Amino acid sequence: MYFRPPKIVRTLFPQLIWNIESQDSIFLTFDDGPNIHITPWVLDLLRKYDAKATFFCIGKNAEQHPELIERIRAEGHAIGNHTYSHTKSLLSNCESYVEDVDLANTFLQSNLFRPPYGRISPAKARRLGERYNIIMWDTLSRDYSKYVSHHKCVREVVPYLRAGAIVAFHDSLKASRNMRYTLPRVLEAARELNLTCRPIEL
Ligand SMILES: [Zn+2]
């Protein structure tokens, strides 16, 4: 699902990054891990295609599985911050939200941040934007949705692959049915289009 944010969103949130200028690359991202049942499968598949990606990890998961964080980095992927406990922006004040992101960062050491649910207030975006690149997406697989079939999940991504796209997947149990079906097909399609899968490095 290709998403172009309305101009008002871009004006209110100048810190948010929706795509990355590139002639020949796409940027696959995986949120909500690391997960011992899913993340190794993703890493094995990416290695098969010589593809690199960015993992927006939940701090609590990273604390429990530092070996997965090490493996992600060792294999040339980027790590991003996705709060300590998948914290909802709406339910916490600016101070405690920023503290939560910084707590997560003790396990992640990243300058990339993606807000859970893609929601963040202008005030929090301003605060976090001083120290983090806030990465959104322009192509959402909707792999997590029980209303999206695995065929539909492929259709949400493959037609929108083009240079500069940031594609959102999830390495979580909830999304695994759709993600495991869709990711190999996206990697094949990227290869056919001569698009290289790179990590986000800003
Ligand atoms: Zn998330």
Side-chain angles (χ1 to χ4, degrees), residues 143-162:
D143 51 359
Y144 51 81
S145 171
K146 63 179 182 199
Y147 303 109
V148 171
S149 70
H150 52 286
H151 294 295
K152 177 139 175 61
C153 192
V154 173
R155 290 199 303 272
E156 295 281 8
V157 180
V158 168
Y160 306 108
L161 290 178
R162 66 194 192 298

Side-chain angles (χ1 to χ4, degrees), residues 6-187:
K7 206 168 166 212
I8 177 79
V9 175
R10 292 193 184 248
T11 309
L12 275 174
F13 295 90
Q15 301 86 357
L16 306 194
I17 296 167
W18 298 90
N19 47 42
I20 292 174
E21 208 145 300
S22 169
Q23 300 298 321
D24 58 3
S25 302
I26 57 169
F27 302 87
L28 303 180
T29 64
F30 297 87
D31 293 3
D32 298 357
N35 178 297
I36 46 164
H37 303 290
I38 317 289
T39 310
W41 181 89
V42 173
L43 290 169
D44 289 347
L45 187 68
L46 292 175
R47 182 154 55 183
K48 209 172 122 194
Y49 282 84
D50 198 20
K52 306 297 180 198
T54 303
F55 291 79
F56 287 92
C57 297
I58 295 173
K60 194 164 61 178
N61 294 352
E63 184 179 18
Q64 283 164 6
H65 296 289
E67 75 286 357
L68 286 177
I69 298 297
E70 254 174 59
R71 184 178 164 193
I72 290 169
R73 268 195 227 286
E75 298 190 7
H77 306 289
I79 299 270
N81 184 327
H82 198 48
T83 74
Y84 181 74
S85 46
H86 214 253
T87 312
K88 269 199 173 110
S89 169
L90 269 179
L91 299 182
S92 52
N93 66 39
C94 198
E95 242 10 86
S96 63
Y97 193 76
V98 170
E99 270 172 28
D100 187 81
V101 173
D102 287 342
L103 171 63
N105 225 37
T106 60
F107 306 101
L108 300 168
Q109 284 102 38
S110 173
N111 68 345
L112 308 175
F113 172 68
R114 173 176 285 166
Y117 313 98
R119 296 206 185 111
I120 189 165
S121 69
K124 291 182 183 106
R126 263 197 307 277
R127 276 286 296 280
L128 289 170
E130 291 165 7
R131 288 180 293 122
Y132 297 90
N133 297 293
I134 306 178
I135 311 292
M136 306 303 274
W137 59 79
D138 65 4
T139 308
L140 182 61
S141 67
R142 297 209 288 148
D143 51 359
Y144 51 81
S145 171
K146 63 179 182 199
Y147 303 109
V148 171
S149 70
H150 52 286
H151 294 295
K152 177 139 175 61
C153 192
V154 173
R155 290 199 303 272
E156 295 281 8
V157 180
V158 168
Y160 306 108
L161 290 178
R162 66 194 192 298
I166 300 176
V167 184
F169 287 106
H170 294 77
D171 51 336
S172 67
L173 276 180
K174 194 169 132 190
S176 70
R177 175 184 59 100
N178 280 338
M179 191 275 292
R180 283 177 193 258
Y181 183 83
T182 303
L183 183 59
R185 286 156 180 83
V186 167
L187 290 164

